[in-house]
C-alpha cells in the first residue's frame, strides 16, 4: 500500500472542441453538478480544432461556483511564463481560488515553431520548464519587496513587478514521464499529472515513477507527500470502482481525471464511482 496522505479528487477531461463550444461548457457545468472536484482541458494553441484553453477556463469559471479548473496541461513554449503567471493569478482571483496550474514542457515541436514558438530539444525543454516554474512563483510572491530579477538561459526577468497575488496557493501540476521530468516534479511541483495511456507498462509503471519523484523530492529537502499524484484516464469504461481503488490504495494515486465527453459517464463518475472508491479507499486505510 502506498499512501501520500491526500483525500481523493475526481475530475473530467473535456475536449475543448471549437466546433461545439456550447457543448464543451455544458459538460463542464455537468461535471460540477455531478459532484466532481475538477474540470480540465487540453492546451494546444496551434490546433484550430480546439478552443483556446485560457479563454475557455475563464468562461467556465464564470459558469461554475465550486469545481476547480486547470489546463491539462499548459503548453509552456506558447505561453510565456511571466505572462502565464499573471493569467493564472487572474483566473484564480476571478474564480475565488479555484484555478490550478497544470503545465508541461511542451510537445509537437513543429507545430510550436509554426506558431512562432521555440522548438527546444527534449533536454532543453526540461530545463526551460524548471526556469519557468521558478519565475512564475517569484511573480506570485508579493511578500518580497522589489521586482523580480532572474537571468535564465530560456526565461529572464529584469525588474518585473510582482503580483497580483493569487487567491490561494496555486498548485503546480506537471505532466511528466521521463526520468528528468519526474525528477523535476519531485523538486519543484505540487502535483504529478500523467496519462494512463502513456505509461509504457500501465499501472506496473507507477512504482518506479513514484520512486523517482520521491527520491528527487527528498534530495531537494522536500517531503514526497507534498506532491499529489493524479492520473488521466481517457477511456471512461476503464474508470471502474475496482481499478480506481487499486490505483489509490496500491499506488497512491489521489486524483482521477476521466475523459470521454459524455454527460452520462460524467454523472456515473461523480454520483456512483467516486463515492464507492472513496469508501473503499477509506476502508483500505483503516485496514492498512
Amino acid at each position: 500500500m502506498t499512501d501520500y496522505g491526500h483525500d481523493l479528487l475526481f475530475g473530467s477531461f473535456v475536449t475543448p472542441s471549437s466546433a461545439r463550444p456550447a457543448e464543451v461548457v455544458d459538460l463542464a457545468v455537468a461535471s460540477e453538478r455531478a459532484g466532481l472536484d475538477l474540470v480540465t482541458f487540453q492546451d494546444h494553441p496551434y490546433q484550430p480544432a480546439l478552443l483556446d484553453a485560457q479563454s475557455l477556463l475563464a468562461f467556465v469559471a464564470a459558469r461554475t461556483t465550486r469545481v476547480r479548473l486547470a489546463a491539462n496541461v499548459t503548453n509552456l513554449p506558447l505561453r510565456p511564463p511571466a505572462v502565464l503567471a499573471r493569467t493564472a493569478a487572474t483566473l484564480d482571483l476571478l474564480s475565488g481560488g479555484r484555478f490550478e496550474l497544470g503545465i508541461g514542457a511542451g510537445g509537437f515541436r513543429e507545430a510550436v515553431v509554426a506558431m512562432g514558438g521555440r522548438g527546444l530539444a527534449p533536454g532543453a525543454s526540461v530545463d526551460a520548464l524548471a526556469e519557468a516554474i521558478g519565475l512564475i512563483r517569484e511573480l506570485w510572491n508579493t511578500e518580497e519587496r522589489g521586482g523580480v530579477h532572474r537571468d535564465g538561459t530560456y526565461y529572464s526577468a529584469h525588474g518585473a513587478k510582482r503580483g497580483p497575488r493569487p487567491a490561494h496557493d496555486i498548485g503546480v501540476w506537471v505532466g511528466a514521464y521521463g526520468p528528468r521530468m519526474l525528477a523535476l516534479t519531485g523538486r519543484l511541483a505540487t502535483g504529478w499529472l500523467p496519462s494512463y495511456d502513456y505509461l509504457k507498462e500501465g499501472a506496473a509503471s507507477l512504482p518506479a515513477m513514484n520512486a523517482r519523484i520521491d527520491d528527487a523530492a527528498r534530495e531537494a529537502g522536500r517531503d514526497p507527500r507534498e506532491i499529489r499524484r493524479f492520473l488521466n484516464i481517457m477511456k471512461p469504461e476503464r474508470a471502474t470502482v475496482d481499478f480506481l481503488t487499486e490505483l489509490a490504495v496500491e499506488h497512491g494515486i489521489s486524483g482521477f481525471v476521466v475523459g470521454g465527453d459524455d454527460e452520462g459517464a460524467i454523472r456515473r463518475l461523480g454520483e456512483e464511482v467516486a463515492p464507492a472508491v472513496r469508501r473503499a479507499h477509506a476502508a483500505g486505510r483503516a485496514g492498512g
Side-chain angles (χ1 to χ4, degrees):
M1 179 176 179
T2 300
D3 190 349
Y4 293 100
H6 297 278
D7 56 344
L8 300 186
L9 299 178
F10 296 83
S12 60
F13 198 158
V14 179
T15 304
S17 171
S18 59
R20 45 184 198 281
E23 180 181 326
V24 173
V25 176
D26 287 344
L27 287 171
V29 173
S31 299
E32 179 167 87
R33 289 175 178 165
L36 296 184
D37 307 291
L38 178 67
V39 175
T40 72
F41 305 102
Q42 58 189 287
D43 180 33
H44 296 288
Y46 37 75
Q47 177 53 269
L50 303 178
L51 297 166
D52 174 69
Q54 305 303 322
S55 303
L56 176 59
L57 286 163
F59 193 91
V60 170
R63 291 287 305 275
T64 55
T65 60
R66 179 191 53 79
V67 74
R68 299 192 208 180
L69 304 166
N72 193 347
V73 291
T74 304
N75 186 287
L76 175 64
L78 291 174
R79 307 286 187 187
V83 178
L84 181 59
R86 305 270 198 259
T87 301
T90 298
L91 286 168
D92 199 51
L93 288 165
L94 291 173
S95 66
R98 294 186 288 125
F99 179 79
E100 310 293 351
L101 182 60
I103 193 167
F108 304 98
R109 278 185 288 170
E110 290 184 2
V112 168
V113 171
M115 289 284 286
R118 287 183 297 182
L120 296 176
S125 68
V126 177
D127 296 335
L129 177 59
E131 286 188 8
I133 291 173
L135 176 56
I136 289 167
R137 285 190 166 136
E138 277 291 302
L139 289 164
W140 287 342
N141 181 11
T142 57
E143 294 181 358
E144 293 290 332
R145 298 180 63 85
V148 175
H149 296 268
R150 295 178 75 95
D151 288 315
T153 302
Y154 306 96
Y155 301 113
S156 300
H158 307 288
K161 294 183 179 180
R162 301 173 184 271
R165 185 180 182 85
H168 86 300
D169 289 334
I170 295 176
V172 177
W173 303 344
V174 174
Y177 299 92
R180 292 191 66 215
M181 281 290 286
L182 292 169
L184 178 151
T185 302
R187 294 194 314 271
L188 300 175
T190 56
W192 177 40
L193 185 56
S195 294
Y196 182 83
D197 287 348
Y198 294 165
L199 303 182
K200 292 181 179 180
E201 299 177 359
S205 302
L206 292 171
M209 297 175 86
N210 269 328
R212 179 74 174 177
I213 293 170
D214 295 351
D215 290 345
R218 294 188 188 98
E219 289 172 7
R222 304 181 68 201
D223 186 335
R225 291 177 296 181
E226 295 177 30
I227 305 151
R228 179 187 283 276
R229 320 301 160 110
F230 292 87
L231 193 60
N232 293 318
I233 299 174
M234 301 315 299
K235 299 175 182 178
E237 64 273 15
R238 184 176 276 154
T240 64
V241 173
D242 287 346
F243 184 54
L244 300 191
T245 300
E246 176 187 348
L247 291 169
V249 173
E250 299 298 328
H251 301 291
I253 303 299
S254 60
F256 301 97
V257 185
V258 181
D261 298 330
D262 178 76
E263 186 172 348
I266 286 171
R267 287 199 304 270
R268 285 191 295 276
L269 178 65
E271 298 171 4
E272 300 173 21
V273 175
V277 176
R278 286 189 170 108
R279 289 193 296 270
H281 183 242
R285 277 179 165 171

